[in-house]
Structures are given as C-alpha cells and as structure tokens.
Amino acid sequence: RILIFGTDGRFYMVRAANLPSGRGMGEPLRLMADLPNEARIVDMFVHVSGRKLIVASTAGDGFVVPEDDVVAQTRAGKQVLNVGDGAARACVPAAGDHVAVVGENRKVLVFPLTDLPEMGRGKGVRLQSYKDGGLSDVTTIVLAEGLSWLDPAGRTRTETDLTEWLGKRASAGRMAPRGFPRDNRFS
C-alpha cells in the first residue's frame, strides 16, 4: 500500500498492484485517489505497519499519529490534520528522541519528541511560534548524533552541539547554524 499525504491534511491510499504498468502513458495519481485539484502532494511513501508519523501544518501546528490509523479505506481519503486556512507542510517518520523544526524566518528549534501528543486526528499543538511566516520543515533526530543537512554544495554537514537550539516546544528558536541551506529544508 502506498500512502499519499496531501496539502489538504488528508491521507490517500493506492495499492501498488493498481498502478499502471510502465508500458503505457500512465494515469494521473489524482484520479486514482480522488485528490482535489487545489491540493498538492506533500509526501508519498510505502505503508509500514506499526510506524508513527509526525504531521505538521504551515501554521506550525502538529502531532504524532500512528501510521496504521491513517490508512484510508475509501478513494476520498481520510482527514487527519485539520489545516484551517493553511496547508499541510510535513509528514516525517517519528524516529529518534528529539524533533527539529525550522521556520520560514530561518529560526531552528529542537525539543524532545515526548513533548508532542499522539492523536488520531485534529489540529495538533504548536511546534514553534512565529511573528510572521510559518513552518518550513520538520525532522526527527537522535540528540547524541546531532543535526545533519545538505549544504548548497551537496555535502552533508552535521552540528553535534545543539544546546543553543534546544528549547521548549512552541518557543521561537534561534537563527539557523552557519551553512544551513537557503531553502530552509533539512534534506
């Protein structure tokens, strides 16, 4: 089963066996999963039973959801993240012990994964606060291994001393480390 997470906060499911073969012209994924025209695909991945995911919106709200709870049984999908006027921004596996978030204002915040509640659906809790702009990216890390990202030259950079960016969930964070990508993405 292939899960698709849309900007509308819904999860859609397509069976791999239903995908057209490589010989034809293909078929739009929107038609196979009833994805609305105004919604874009945030992420697409193979379903792994028992795994947990972090979902987040552009407003900076998010939560942990068991992956087994997001599998949609209908083509219309399953509403998981209530986005309001915003859009869904991120869907990442909840692996590790800390969450790192970066906003459009280039501020990074690292906080424990245990601070995020596990929910089946809803708006979630505030991950990071913003005066203007919103959430850019989310990832999970093991604090002892540090935070890694690809620099503009394509090399992997790692910051192991994260004490400057450690904080409480829903605080503003600090400016990103030197060499952090301009697109504000961890990978």
Side-chain angles (χ1 to χ4, degrees):
R1 294 184 275 193
I2 299 171
L3 292 178
I4 303 161
F5 186 52
T7 53
D8 56 355
R10 287 181 166 280
F11 276 91
Y12 302 89
M13 196 248 327
V14 174
R15 294 196 181 279
N18 295 347
L19 294 175
S21 68
R23 297 189 185 275
M25 297 297 287
E27 182 181 337
L29 199 56
R30 288 185 182 285
L31 299 179
M32 298 173 84
D34 283 351
L35 188 68
N37 287 336
E38 62 273 3
R40 292 188 341 272
I41 295 174
V42 174
D43 204 355
M44 187 168 70
F45 50 90
V46 176
H47 171 59
V48 177
S49 185
R51 185 168 61 172
K52 296 186 182 201
L53 303 169
I54 295 176
V55 291
S57 68
T58 53
D61 300 320
F63 58 91
V64 176
V65 61
E67 192 170 319
D68 294 327
D69 291 357
V70 302
V71 176
Q73 301 302 327
T74 63
R75 286 180 51 159
K78 185 171 186 178
Q79 185 70 41
V80 174
L81 181 65
N82 296 343
V83 293
D85 293 336
R89 170 67 90 189
C91 176
V92 296
D97 56 5
H98 279 69
V99 178
V101 294
V102 61
E104 292 171 355
N105 58 3
R106 293 192 54 78
K107 290 191 176 181
V108 175
L109 176 67
V110 179
F111 59 88
L113 180 61
T114 54
D115 288 357
L116 279 182
E118 188 173 309
M119 301 167 62
R121 68 175 292 189
K123 179 181 174 186
V125 296
R126 180 69 53 173
L127 302 178
Q128 186 179 16
S129 62
Y130 311 102
K131 285 192 172 128
D132 54 347
L135 179 76
S136 221
D137 200 10
V138 178
T139 190
T140 55
I141 61 170
V142 175
L143 190 62
E145 295 174 5
L147 179 61
S148 297
W149 65 86
L150 287 175
D151 69 3
R155 297 180 302 255
T156 301
R157 303 252 329 236
T158 303
E159 182 72 41
T160 53
D161 182 20
L162 297 173
T163 53
E164 183 178 342
W165 295 278
L166 277 173
K168 292 194 174 294
R169 181 186 57 75
S171 58
R174 309 265 315 211
M175 285 307 287
R178 288 179 56 102
F180 196 76
R182 287 274 167 222
D183 65 353
N184 288 349
R185 307 292 285 180
F186 290 112
S187 57

